[in-house]
């Protein structure tokens, strides 16, 4: 063949010839420190409770949660994000277990800190949806709508009890206007300037949360479209980002991850703070279900999905595969 232009002198396939070659020139690498493990702890159970919609994931007992935290440390991951599931009869309209120092989430924070100390970042979900009898992320007004400013008062209390319990990082996830500023003020008022805020800056009203509702025993009636973002909107995410940074967010997050890689990339390009992404329950369950049927290669699909999230700009990834993948990477 006559040689002209760049071909056949330039052949990109030369850099794909062997596994070692591909590894050497890889532009994106996963590392155990990239990962944060979301974990659920359920009050009043004596054995871990499997979550049927999330094969391989459980609602932990206090003891099994401590074991999971120790395994996470051994695997080298960076953090664990805790979600508390109170007994059903303890839920009420105000989400009282969320501010009770002896509520299951606060107890779990203390347990994990006692187990792993500072070897793992203990992160706490700061939201009311697990603790309210109506399942919304805030308190309701007389007309049944989520009352933004009344909810902020509850978030301030939650931030303080979670910090007192030992959380290194709080994760306000309710998408209330002004939540980051209120939480920062509440923490500073009790001298906890050291507690960081991971802002759920971009959180869409997604269909992919379905399995999570089982995981937290959600009592949700209706939907969350009046406070979580519309999947059709992109510029809105940058507005939320600017507000959260102005209010004092230390880190920001995009949730879900996979369906919103374009948003993740825009956020990552726009900021100079760490960016996280949450690979949510539906993303997890789709891969597990397809793999169970033999339609896809499970391990390859997991790694490909996580690599795509990091390639789009996530410095840290919340994923239910965190410990498993970290163990394989090590």
């Amino acid at each position: 063949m006559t040689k002209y232009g760049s071909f056949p002198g330039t052949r990109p396939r030369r850099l794909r010839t062997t596994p070692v070659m591909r590894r050497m020139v890889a532009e994106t690498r996963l590392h155990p420190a990239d990962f944060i493990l979301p974990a659920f702890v359920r009050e009043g159970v004596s054995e871990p409770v499997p979550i049927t919609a999330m094969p391989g994931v459980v609602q932990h007992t206090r003891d099994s949660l401590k074991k999971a935290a120790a395994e996470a440390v051994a695997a080298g991951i960076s953090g664990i994000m805790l979600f508390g599931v109170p007994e059903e009869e303890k839920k009420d309209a105000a989400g009282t277990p969320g501010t009770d120092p002896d509520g299951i989430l606060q107890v779990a924070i203390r347990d994990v800190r006692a187990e792993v100390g500072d070897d793992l970042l203990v992160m706490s979900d700061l939201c009311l949806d697990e603790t309210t009898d109506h399942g919304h992320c805030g308190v309701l007004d007389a007309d049944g709508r989520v009352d933004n400013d009344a909810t902020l008062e509850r978030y301030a209390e939650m931030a303080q009890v979670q910090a007192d319990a030992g959380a290194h990082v709080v994760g306000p996830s309710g998408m209330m206007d002004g939540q980051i500023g209120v939480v920062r003020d509440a923490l500073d008022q009790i001298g906890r300037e050291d507690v960081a805020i991971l802002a759920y800056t971009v959180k869409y009203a997604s269909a992919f949360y379905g399995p999570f509702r089982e995981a937290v025993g959600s009592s949700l009636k209706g939907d969350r479209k009046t406070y979580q973002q519309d999947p059709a909107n992109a510029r809105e995410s940058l507005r939320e980002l600017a507000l959260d940074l102005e209010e004092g967010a230390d880190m920001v997050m995009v949730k879900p991850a996979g369906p919103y890689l374009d948003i993740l990339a825009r956020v990552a390009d726009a900021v100079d703070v760490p960016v996280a992404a949450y690979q949510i329950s539906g993303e997890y369950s789709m891969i597990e279900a397809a793999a169970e049927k033999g339609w896809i290669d499970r391990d390859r699909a997991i790694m490909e999905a996580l690599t795509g999230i990091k390639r789009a700009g996530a410095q840290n990834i919340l994923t239910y595969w965190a410990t498993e993948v970290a163990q394989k990477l090590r």
Side-chain angles (χ1 to χ4, degrees):
M1 179 180 292
T2 302
K3 186 173 182 179
Y4 64 93
S6 61
F7 179 82
T10 300
R11 294 180 181 264
R13 287 182 56 188
R14 292 190 187 111
L15 300 183
R16 305 169 194 155
T17 51
T18 69
V20 174
M21 177 68 80
R22 293 191 293 274
R23 184 181 67 193
M24 184 182 75
V25 301
E27 298 173 28
T28 305
R29 300 180 192 275
L30 296 171
H31 186 278
D34 298 338
F35 299 121
I36 297 164
L37 176 68
F40 310 101
V41 57
R42 179 172 170 178
E43 188 172 24
V45 295
S46 58
E47 297 290 337
V49 179
I51 301 168
T52 57
M54 301 177 68
V57 181
V58 301
Q59 294 173 323
H60 285 287
T61 66
R62 290 174 59 185
D63 285 340
S64 69
L65 178 66
K66 290 188 286 186
K67 181 180 178 181
E71 290 174 348
V73 171
I77 73 173
S78 291
I80 186 167
M81 175 65 78
L82 300 179
F83 298 84
V85 184
E87 294 177 309
E88 195 67 27
E89 61 269 20
K90 293 184 179 179
K91 296 180 180 181
D92 58 23
T96 299
T99 49
D100 180 354
D102 294 320
I104 184 59
L105 179 55
Q106 287 69 253
V107 169
I109 293 169
R110 291 196 292 270
D111 283 345
V112 175
R113 281 300 304 270
E115 183 72 19
V116 300
D118 292 330
D119 292 338
L120 187 69
L121 288 175
V122 179
M123 305 177 171
S124 53
D125 179 58
L126 201 163
C127 195
L128 289 170
D129 60 320
E130 297 102 270
T131 59
T132 53
D133 54 12
H134 48 73
H136 277 288
C137 297
V139 296
L140 306 182
D141 63 18
D143 296 319
R145 298 171 300 193
V146 175
D147 186 326
N148 191 94
D149 295 3
T151 298
L152 294 182
E153 295 179 16
R154 300 289 293 131
Y155 286 3
E157 295 178 59
M158 292 184 76
Q160 292 176 343
V161 297
Q162 290 177 4
D164 286 342
H168 295 101
V169 180
V170 295
S173 61
M175 290 300 288
M176 296 297 118
D177 294 339
Q179 64 182 12
I180 302 304
V182 166
V183 167
R184 183 72 270 160
D185 286 346
L187 292 169
D188 292 351
Q189 285 170 14
I190 61 169
R192 296 308 306 272
E193 296 88 353
D194 58 318
V195 175
I197 298 176
L198 170 59
Y200 283 61
T201 293
V202 182
K203 186 177 181 182
Y204 282 94
S206 172
F208 292 94
Y209 296 131
F212 184 86
R213 305 281 161 79
E214 178 189 348
V216 297
S218 175
S219 305
L220 181 65
K221 302 175 180 67
D223 59 48
R224 299 185 172 122
K225 293 180 180 179
T226 64
Y227 45 102
Q228 294 178 353
Q229 287 178 234
D230 185 340
N233 292 350
R235 288 192 302 271
E236 182 180 34
S237 299
L238 298 182
R239 185 183 188 198
E240 293 278 5
L241 175 64
L243 291 168
D244 281 358
L245 293 174
E246 181 182 353
E247 292 173 25
D250 299 290
M251 300 170 277
V252 297
M253 183 159 66
V254 175
K255 181 181 181 181
Y260 297 94
L261 295 181
D262 60 324
I263 306 300
L264 174 58
R266 292 178 70 166
V267 169
D269 286 344
V271 300
D272 57 3
V273 299
V275 176
Y278 196 148
Q279 185 185 54
I280 66 170
S281 59
E283 299 176 70
Y284 172 92
S285 296
M286 285 192 302
I287 290 177
E288 289 287 353
E292 189 275 330
K293 288 184 174 293
W295 293 342
I296 60 174
D297 181 316
R298 177 184 181 273
D299 290 351
R300 286 185 61 197
I302 290 170
M303 297 303 288
E304 185 174 339
L306 292 171
T307 299
I309 294 167
K310 187 170 183 184
R311 188 184 64 242
Q315 182 172 336
N316 297 108
I317 304 171
L318 284 82
T319 175
Y320 301 98
W321 289 304
T323 301
E324 176 188 342
V325 171
Q327 289 169 340
K328 291 176 179 176
L329 290 172
R330 288 169 72 91

